[in-house]
Structure formats: C-alpha cells, structure tokens
C-alpha cells in the first residue's frame, strides 16, 4: 500500500489479493457519474499502488477541417472498393432470365431500400456510434460491452488497459438493469455474446481471404470479353501475380494505400453516377417509382418463394458494408459518414437506377448490367477502370482484418504477434505482418483451387449477412447497457433490422452446398483458434493466481541484513554485486520473476529495479512524461515505469545508463528537497541510496527475464489436456524472446519456472 509522503510502498504478493475480485473490478480510473461505490473500494484496494495515468488509456481521436476531408478522401480508396463494384453483377445475379418491368421495379426498390436501411440507417447512423474509443467491428462492440458489464475475466496480475465504466443501478431503468443482471449472471448469455463477437471477427477475417480471390479473378475473367480464347491457367496466373502485388504493398500503410487507391474508386463511382444519369434521362425515368417500398412488397407478393430466393442476388448490393464499421479505427466515424452520404451513396443509387432504366427498355441487357448499359464510346475506358476498381475492392477487408486482429490481441483472444502502426497522425492505422502473410497464402490457395468465380461467388454473400446479423444483436446489447435506451426503442430497432438480416441470410444459406460452406468453414476454424487461445489464457491466469507468496516476502533483520521469508523461518539473503533489473510485465505487485529468483538463488542485488514498459496508443511520449519512479519496501529497491509510444524505442544499447540517470535524478531531487518535518531522515536515506546506486552500476548491470513454462496437468481429462497442449504450442511459438528487447545479450539472465494448467 502507499506509504506516507515518502512515496514508499511495501511488497505485496498475490496472496493478499482475491483474483476473482480483480477480474470483476469495474470501477473507473476517473470519477464519472454512474459509478458503483463498492466498485470504487475494490479498485482502490487493488490498484492504488499501480502507477496509472489518464494517458495510459486509449483516447478516441477527433478530426475536423482539412484533416477530416483528407480522411474522408482516404476512406473512399479503402472502404468503398468492395461495395462500389457491386453494380457489375447485382442484376445479373438476381435475374437469370430477362425480367418483367414490374419485377425490375421490385428488385430496384429492394436495392434502394437495402442501401438505405441496412447501410445508411443501420450502419452509418446507428452502428458507427457504437465505437469503442474510436475502434469498430464486432470485437469493438464486445469490448465496449465488457467495459460496462462484468462479463469477462481480465488478467488479475496486469493493470487495466481500458476504462471500466459500469453504471450504478439507480442510473438505469428497471428493464435495463434486469437485462444487465441477466447478462452478468447467466453463463449461457455471456457465452452467446462472446461467441457472437468471435464469430463476427472470424467471418470478416475469412472475407479477407475470399474477397481478394473473388474480386481479382472476376476482374481478370473480364478479359474474355475481348479475348474469348484466353485459357484458365493464364487467368489464374495473372490473378496470382496481382495478388502478390496487392499484399506486397500492405506495409506502406493504410494512409498511403488509401490515398493512392482513392482516385481509382472516385473515378469508378463517378462514371457510375454519370452513366446512371445518362441512362435515366435517355431511356426510362419511370423507374424512379421504385423509391416507393410498395414495389418491393409487391415483388414478394407476386413471386413468393422465388422472390425470397432472389434476395441472395439483391444482398450483393451491400457486400462490403461490414468494412464501414471494421475500418472505423483507421478513419473515424465522421470521415466515413461524410464520404458515404455525400459521395458513395448517391453514386451507387444512380448507378442501379440508371441500369434499371436501360434494362426496362432492353431486358436482355440484364446478363451484363454494367457493360451493356455503358454509353457509346465508353466501353474501353469503363473496362479498364472496372478492372482497377475490382483490384482495389480487396483492400477494404484486408484493412478490416488488421484492425480486428489488433482488437483480439488487446483482449487476449489472440497471441501478441508483431503489430506495426503505419501513421503517426492517425493512431488506429495498423499493419500486421504475420496476418498479411497468412491472408496472402490463403488467397493464393483459393485462387488456384477454385480458378473461377462461379462457385466462389456463392459464398460471397453469406459472410456479410452473418456479420450484419451479429452486429445487430451486439448493438442491441450496447443500446441496453451502454446507451441505456428505453427497451421499447431497442426492441423496435432490433426486430426491424434483425428481420431484414434474417431474410437475406436465409436466402444466402440456400447456396450452402454450392460454395457458402467454404466461408462458414473458414470462419468456424478461425473462431476455434480465438476461443482456444482465450481458454488457454483463462487457465494460465487461474494457475498463476495460485502461485502466491507471503505479504512481506523480504524482511530487514536486526543487523540490517535482508532475510527471505520461507515456510519454516527466515533465511539470510546473499548480496550480489551490481544492479539487477527485473523485467516486470504487470507494473504492480512483485514481479513473478523476482519472486522465483529469490526462492531459487536466495540472493538479492546491491540495487534492484523492477522495470515495467507500458505501450501506449499514441506515437510519442515526451521525455519528461516517460518515466515514473517509486520505492519498494525493501532497501535499495525501486520500480520504474516507462511509457513508450508506438513509434518510440526505449531499448538502446545504453539502456542501463538511461535507467541509472532517471533513478539518479529521482534521488537527487529528494536530496534537494526543501526541509520539512522528517526531511533530514529522508535526505540521509536518499544520499545512501544514491551512493549504493553508483557503486552497483560500476560493478555490473544484469537484466533478468522470467520464462514461464506451462504444462497441462496429468490428471486433467484428455480433451482438456489436448486443448491446453495446443494452446501451449501456440504460446511457445508466438511469445517474445528476451533478445528482441535490444539490450546486451551477454547481460541477459532468464529465470525459468514451470506452472501446471
């Protein structure tokens, strides 16, 4: 606990902390309205010895003016390539034969209202408000829910990385309070929410493999229009070459890629807008009647089951809508709303309306709705820009995959693999090398195996509709426990949008055998991987919680010697020459590696430092704000917390010297303190500690890391042992190595210890 004014704290081991109480702590770092008092007490008892600042938490970025316009411009190049290329095939996928005028009006009405209700109202107006500190996607929704409810266990040995903001019951209406209570007390309900979030992420990741293969193959197959004799292997070869280029440019980052791709998408959508106006004016402006939902209703009345089945083609009009939310962290809600409402939405509406105007006069044009409706003299320019637009269409889901994977790592549902922030200005733009390699390999495999878009296209719509349905369910939960909306409003919105999602999903699932199984299979495998990792982490945390030590592990003897508390008495510790720096993952309590070092070697350094590195979500930390230092109850023992922006590099070859300078400055400040009550004693102590520090540094500096080995318990059931063995294998192959920290290898010491899970 915090000491008096000298800033000292005693060593406090996990024995004095209840892990269950830690995992259920939901007090906020800052006092905000709607906080439970019992949560405040829990928070203070656990984290008041943890050096936490407001800057340690992610903060939502807000943009305006020229920066907002620039982000909106970039978002066009990344987000709308997928949904923007739908006019190439929606009508041909909906009608296998030339449609009647009434059916054409009905299909157009369905397209208009799908873009309006599902994309504009649901996603742009509502869902984009459900961000988690600026992040989007189904896992951001899950993270937001866990911040306002007690439904997810957190690592009890690590400080909280997010603000927990659970409202007091008196600040919520009774239906909302009862709903939250059900969510928190029902294991089934909690697991459903968790699985929904995981499945939503997995389906988007699967789409990150499927979309590039589908869009690029489709674009290259368009060459058959001018070269009918072109061979399949040639198409596959060209497609694979383009896939290589697409994934090779990902390290350049979202900002550069978006700025480069934006002109292509802008030109593509603009010609769709222009062609739509041309066809509407020249052929049949009466199709504007389709803005009335009456024609959509009559379409189902007239066609019955066949009308319902045709929704599998209509839904292609909004494939890629999930990218609007998944890519939120890279652009911001305001930028996406601006680009959609002022540009993409009107362009797409006019594209479909113009095609319908042409097809109403020449029904046979439905076989190739875009190229057959191109104005005279515009075929070749349209072909070239459509191929480029199809190439760009893949970027939306690739960017979304990077964003969502970063969220799963943050919430311990995926190993902490290397993540690169690609912009110092826009904090949410990330690139994950390993994910890029895996998606590249998957896309090449799918391209080679399927080699055409016929069956692959059957799987195209299932993913997007499943994600939209999951999003509807999770946003409804957010509306109840975060926004605290009236239950009638929530139910009305949920029933409306869930009904739409289920209508489209049920139609898309008819294509399960024809290709939809592929998306579901890939999504299922990825979901199992995410859930397996989380299962293993929960087991690891439970095991670590049992590794407890006495509250005062090290005592000072009568003669000033250090003594280690053991079950049958105390043992005097041997003093090792030099400065020992223990890498402390948690930044609170005593580092596990320090505890095991004491037990195994029964020794203590002249001066000991617990070093904790905190990775922050903004690019740079000023030197004056980087380090914070506090004393530990053991003499000559300190904790140093270093904050590192994602573009900073704390570790250098003279890293030990940097810590020496910081600790020296801390002690010299105490020595120069203005005299006050008790000051002579404090000054004398600081002088003694400074002398010990200088002497220890001159002798040697040692960096001590912990290496925890996990082994499944032999008495566990074989299924549990198998799952945990898989988790241990994943953990061993993705964990950070001490050499990666950049300190001198010849001064590294690893202290190994084994835990059973």
């Amino acid at each position: 606990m915090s000491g008096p004014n000298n800033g000292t704290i005693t060593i406090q081991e996990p024995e004095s902390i209840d892990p269950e109480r830690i995992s259920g702590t939901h007090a906020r770092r800052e006092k905000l309205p709607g906080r439970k008092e019992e949560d405040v007490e829990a928070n203070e008892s656990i984290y008041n010895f943890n050096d936490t600042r407001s800057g340690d938490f992610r903060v939502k970025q807000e943009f305006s003016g020229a920066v907002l316009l620039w982000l909106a411009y970039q978002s066009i190049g990344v987000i709308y390539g997928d949904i923007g290329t739908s006019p190439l095939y929606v009508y041909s996928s909906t009608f296998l034969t030339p449609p009647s005028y009434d059916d054409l009006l009905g299909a157009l009405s369905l397209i208009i209202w799908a873009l309006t209700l599902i994309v504009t109202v649901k996603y742009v107006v509502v869902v984009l408000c459900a961000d988690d500190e600026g992040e989007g996607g189904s896992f951001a929704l899950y993270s937001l829910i866990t911040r306002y409810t007690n439904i997810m266990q957190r690592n009890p040995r690590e400080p909280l990385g997010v603000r927990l903001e659970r409202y007091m019951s008196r600040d919520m209406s009774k239906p909302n309070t009862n709903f939250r209570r059900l969510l928190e007390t029902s294991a089934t309900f909690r697991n459903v929410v968790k699985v929904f979030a995981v499945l939503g992420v997995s389906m988007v990741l699967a789409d990150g493999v499927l979309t590039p293969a589908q869009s690029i193959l489709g674009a290259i197959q368009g060459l058959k229009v001018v070269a009918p004799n072109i061979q399949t292997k040639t198409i596959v070869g060209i497609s694979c070459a383009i896939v290589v280029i697409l994934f090779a440019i990902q390290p350049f980052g979202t900002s550069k890629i978006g700025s480069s791709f934006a002109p292509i998408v802008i030109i593509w959508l603009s010609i769709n807008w222009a062609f739509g106006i041309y066809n509407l004016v020249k052929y049949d402006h009466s199709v504007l009647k389709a803005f009335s939902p009456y024609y959509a209703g009559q379409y189902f009345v007239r066609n019955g089951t066949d009308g319902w089945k045709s929704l599998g083609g209509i839904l292609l009009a909004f494939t890629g809508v999930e990218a609007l939310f998944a890519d939120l962290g890279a652009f911001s809600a305001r930028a996406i709303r601006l680009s959609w409402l002022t540009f993409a939405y009107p362009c797409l509406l006019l594209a479909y309306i113009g095609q319908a105007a042409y097809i109403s006069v020449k029904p046979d044009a439905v076989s190739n709705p875009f190229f057959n409706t191109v104005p005279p003299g515009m075929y070749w320019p349209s072909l070239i820009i459509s191929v480029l637009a199809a190439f760009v269409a893949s970027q939306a889901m690739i960017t979304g995959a990077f964003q969502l994977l970063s969220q799963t790592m943050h919430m311990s549902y995926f190993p902490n693999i290397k993540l690169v922030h690609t912009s110092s200005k826009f904090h949410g733009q990330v690139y994950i090398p390993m994910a890029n390699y895996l998606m590249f390999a998957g896309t090449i495999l799918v391209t080679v195996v399927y080699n055409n878009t016929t069956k692959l296209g059957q799987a195209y719509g299932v993913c997007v509709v499943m994600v939209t349905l999951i999003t509807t369910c999770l946003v409804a939960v957010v509306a109840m426990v975060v926004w605290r909306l009236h239950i009638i409003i929530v139910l009305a919105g949920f029933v409306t949008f869930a009904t739409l999602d289920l209508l489209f999903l049920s139609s898309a699932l008819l294509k399960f055998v024809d290709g939809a199984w592929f998306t579901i299979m890939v999504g299922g495998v990825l979901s199992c991987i995410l859930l397996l990792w989380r299962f293993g982490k929960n087991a690891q945390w439970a095991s670590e919680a049992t590794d407890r030590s006495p509250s005062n592990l090290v005592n000072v003897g009568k003669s000033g010697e250090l003594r280690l508390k053991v079950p049958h008495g105390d043992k005097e510790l041997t003093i090792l020459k030099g400065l020992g720096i223990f890498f402390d993952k948690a930044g609170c309590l005593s580092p596990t590696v320090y505890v095991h070092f004491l037990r195994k070697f029964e020794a203590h350094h002249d001066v000991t430092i617990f070093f904790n590195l905190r990775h922050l979500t903004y690019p740079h930390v000023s030197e004056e704000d980087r380090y914070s230092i506090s004393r530990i109850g053991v003499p000559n023992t300190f904790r140093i917390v270093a904050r590192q922006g994602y573009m900073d590099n704390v570790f250098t070859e003279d890293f030990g010297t940097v810590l020496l300078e910081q600790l020296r400055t801390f002690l010299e400040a105490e020595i120069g303190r203005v005299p006050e009550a008790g000051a002579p004693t404090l000054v004398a102590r600081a002088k003694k500690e400074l002398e010990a520090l200088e002497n220890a540094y001159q002798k040697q500096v040692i960096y001590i890391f912990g290496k925890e080995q996990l082994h499944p318990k032999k008495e566990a059931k074989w299924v549990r042992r198998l799952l945990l063995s898989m988790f241990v294998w994943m953990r061993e192959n993705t964990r950070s190595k001490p050499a990666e920290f950049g300190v001198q290898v010849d001064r590294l010491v690893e202290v190994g210890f084994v835990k059973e899970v």
Side-chain angles (χ1 to χ4, degrees), residues 599-617:
R599 289 173 173 172
K600 287 179 171 61
F601 301 106
E602 297 179 358
H604 201 279
H605 288 86
D606 285 327
V607 177
T608 298
I609 294 176
F610 300 159
F611 176 76
N612 170 245
L613 179 64
R614 296 195 182 169
H615 297 277
L616 305 184
T617 58

Side-chain angles (χ1 to χ4, degrees), residues 532-533 712 721-731:
L532 170 65
W533 183 260
R721 290 192 64 193
L722 175 63
L723 294 176
L724 291 175
S725 296
M726 294 168 64
F727 163 74
V728 170
W729 180 85
M730 291 173 61
R731 181 175 179 269

Side-chain angles (χ1 to χ4, degrees), residues 77-294:
V78 172
I79 295 177
Y80 303 121
D82 192 359
I83 195 172
T85 53
S86 295
L88 286 168
Y89 43 73
V90 170
Y91 283 118
S92 59
S93 300
T94 304
F95 299 111
L96 300 179
T97 59
S100 66
Y101 178 77
D102 289 337
D103 284 348
L104 181 65
L105 276 184
L108 176 59
S109 184
L110 287 169
I111 292 170
I112 290 173
W113 285 103
L115 289 174
T116 301
L117 292 178
I118 295 179
V119 184
T120 306
V121 176
K122 176 182 166 181
Y123 269 88
V124 175
V125 175
V126 179
V127 175
L128 289 183
C129 294
D131 66 283
D132 181 41
E133 297 294 356
E135 290 291 323
S138 59
F139 230 70
L141 290 172
Y142 182 56
S143 174
L144 183 62
I145 293 169
T146 62
R147 289 171 50 207
Y148 284 82
T149 59
N150 182 14
I151 64 171
M152 188 184 78
Q153 180 185 359
R154 301 181 188 273
N155 188 351
R157 288 194 62 87
E158 289 188 15
L160 291 172
V162 296
R163 299 184 188 276
L164 301 181
E165 308 182 75
R166 189 178 188 272
Y167 290 111
M168 293 172 57
S169 296
R170 66 170 179 264
D171 294 326
M172 302 175 69
S173 63
K174 188 173 182 179
N176 298 67
T177 304
N178 291 337
F179 178 85
R180 184 179 67 182
R181 184 179 299 113
L182 175 65
L183 182 62
E184 293 178 338
T185 58
S186 171
T188 301
F189 207 167
R190 291 198 304 271
N191 288 330
V192 167
V193 173
K194 176 175 68 176
V195 171
F196 268 31
V198 169
L199 184 59
V201 170
S202 301
M203 296 304 290
V204 173
L205 295 177
D207 212 13
V209 173
L210 188 66
T211 300
Q214 170 73 11
S215 60
I216 293 173
L217 268 175
I220 302 306
Q221 283 177 343
L223 294 176
K224 288 186 175 181
V225 175
V226 292
N229 297 325
I230 190 171
Q231 296 183 353
T232 299
K233 63 181 182 181
T234 303
I235 292 176
V236 172
I238 296 174
S239 299
C240 289
I242 294 176
V243 168
V244 171
I245 296 172
L246 177 66
F247 284 96
I249 65 175
Q250 295 307 313
F252 288 105
T254 304
S255 185
K256 292 181 180 178
I257 293 174
S259 300
S260 302
F261 285 179
I264 297 174
V265 181
I266 289 173
I267 294 173
W268 166 253
L269 290 176
S270 296
I271 66 172
N272 274 271
W273 172 81
F275 292 173
I277 293 178
Y278 174 85
N279 290 321
L280 183 63
V281 173
K282 184 172 181 179
Y283 292 99
D284 185 4
H285 65 272
S286 69
V287 295
L288 291 173
K289 292 186 296 185
F291 275 98
S292 170
Y294 168 82

Side-chain angles (χ1 to χ4, degrees), residues 311-535:
L311 288 177
I314 300 294
L315 69 85
L316 296 178
F318 58 88
T319 51
V321 64
E322 67 272 34
L324 272 74
F325 192 40
D327 295 347
L328 177 61
F331 299 106
S332 83
R334 293 182 66 190
I336 294 174
R337 288 192 180 105
L338 181 63
S339 58
W340 172 257
L341 294 174
T342 63
F343 185 67
Y345 181 45
C347 286
L348 288 174
L349 284 181
L350 280 168
Y352 292 114
I353 292 170
Q355 289 181 9
Y358 187 98
I359 296 171
S360 69
V361 176
K362 300 179 181 181
D364 290 337
V366 76
S367 61
N368 197 335
F370 177 76
F371 289 105
N372 286 338
T373 60
V374 168
M378 292 299 298
Y379 176 80
W380 282 105
S382 300
L383 177 62
I384 294 172
I385 196 64
S386 67
V387 171
L388 292 175
F391 169 72
V392 172
S394 310
Q395 188 60 43
M397 301 320 303
I398 295 174
T399 300
F402 294 153
Q403 300 297 133
L404 295 181
L405 267 181
S406 68
Q407 297 168 17
T408 61
M409 289 189 287
H410 181 69
M411 294 185 68
S412 300
Y413 275 82
F414 197 75
N416 282 309
I417 57 179
K418 183 179 180 181
L419 182 147
V420 180
H421 288 263
T422 59
S423 172
S424 61
K425 192 168 189 177
F426 309 119
H427 302 169
Q429 297 183 355
V430 298
Y431 162 69
I432 303 176
M434 182 180 290
N436 194 53
Y437 301 146
L438 293 177
M439 286 193 294
F440 163 71
T443 302
I444 289 290
L445 181 63
V446 169
T447 303
V448 172
V449 171
Y450 279 86
N451 68 56
N452 69 77
T453 59
T454 303
K455 287 188 177 180
L456 194 57
Q458 303 298 324
Y460 208 41
V462 174
C463 176
V464 60
V465 186
M466 289 191 70
V467 173
T468 60
L469 177 60
I470 290 171
T471 301
T472 298
C473 297
L474 295 179
V475 169
V477 177
V478 170
M480 290 292 290
V481 299
V482 180
W483 297 340
R484 297 174 292 172
L485 297 180
H486 195 283
I487 189 171
I488 300 299
I489 298 175
V490 177
L491 284 176
F494 174 75
V495 170
T496 299
F497 291 115
T499 301
L500 289 173
D501 293 336
L502 287 171
L503 280 173
F504 283 109
L505 179 60
S506 59
S507 176
L509 287 176
L510 293 174
K511 303 175 182 178
F512 180 84
V513 178
D514 297 325
W517 63 269
F518 177 79
T519 302
I520 296 174
M521 180 195 71
V522 174
V525 170
L526 293 173
S527 296
C528 290
I529 293 174
L530 297 179
L531 292 172
L532 170 65
W533 183 260
R534 181 65 190 197
F535 172 76

Side-chain angles (χ1 to χ4, degrees), residues 298-312:
Q298 285 297 307
Y299 179 80
F300 290 117
V301 172
R302 187 169 51 254
N303 294 287
T305 303
D306 290 336
W308 164 66
K309 292 180 179 179
S310 70
L311 288 177

